[in-house]
């Protein structure tokens, strides 16, 4: 017993020079309602991705410095020593930062008061007036910016 099978073209019409690039095969026409729905869905996805609603939840403030402690090398009076470190906002949101003041002979340059996620270089300097051992503490208090 012989079986026969007929294979169709899937509804495509054979046309010479058809836009599919294949000789004798025409591209199917997109349905206007389907194309409009796809364009509308793409527009809604784009607009939805650019909004701030709902607000960011679960964001944590993760402010840290690259070094917990800094020890300046020995120095003669009136000779400045400089150390660079990095302040890092490892969270996902912007932080407002309040810093304590440093008393002379210590100073800091570049301390950020508003910090986006990332890192900022900060220069700490020490210029002693006389010989001796001095210490100072610099504290940064981060406030979550919403």
């Amino acid at each position: 017993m012989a079986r026969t099978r007929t294979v169709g073209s899937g509804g495509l019409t054979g046309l010479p020079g058809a836009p599919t690039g294949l000789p004798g095969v025409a591209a199917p026409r997109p349905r206007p309602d389907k194309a409009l729905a796809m364009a509308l869905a793409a527009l809604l996805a784009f607009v939805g991705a650019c909004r701030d609603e709902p607000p960011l939840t679960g964001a944590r403030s993760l402010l840290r410095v690259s070094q917990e402690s800094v020890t300046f090398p020995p120095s003669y009076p009136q000779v400045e020593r400089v150390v660079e470190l990095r302040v890092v906002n490892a969270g996902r949101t912007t932080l407002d930062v309040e810093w304590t003041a440093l008393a002379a002979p210590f100073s800091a340059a570049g301390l950020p008061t508003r910090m986006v996620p990332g890192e900022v270089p900060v220069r700490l300097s020490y210029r002693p007036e006389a010989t001796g051992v001095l210490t100072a503490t610099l504290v940064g208090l981060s406030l979550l910016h919403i």
Side-chain angles (χ1 to χ4, degrees):
M1 171 181 310
R3 293 187 184 182
T4 59
R5 179 189 286 184
T6 305
V7 178
S9 65
L12 299 178
T13 308
L15 297 173
T20 61
L22 300 174
V25 179
R29 289 186 186 170
R31 293 179 27 199
D33 57 336
K34 189 173 184 178
L36 179 61
M38 289 175 51
L40 183 59
L43 178 64
L44 288 175
F46 175 73
V47 170
C50 294
R51 64 187 173 124
D52 289 333
E53 295 296 328
L56 181 63
T57 58
R60 300 182 314 169
S61 62
L62 298 172
L63 185 67
R64 58 185 169 89
V65 291
S66 60
Q67 294 175 248
E68 290 286 324
S69 175
V70 174
T71 302
F72 290 96
S75 178
Y76 292 104
Q78 301 301 322
V79 175
E80 183 178 40
R81 301 291 188 184
V82 177
V83 173
E84 184 173 289
L85 55 89
R86 302 215 175 268
V87 176
V88 180
N89 176 359
R92 298 180 358 188
T93 189
T94 302
L95 301 172
D96 289 327
V97 185
E98 292 180 11
W99 298 94
T100 58
L102 284 175
F106 298 97
S107 64
L111 291 172
T113 56
R114 185 171 189 107
M115 186 145 184
V116 297
E119 59 182 49
V120 174
V122 174
R123 291 174 45 107
L124 300 177
S125 59
Y126 168 67
R127 181 183 288 246
E129 296 291 322
T131 58
V133 177
L134 299 169
T135 62
T137 302
L138 176 66
V139 177
L141 176 63
S142 64
L143 306 168
L144 185 65
H145 178 73
I146 298 178

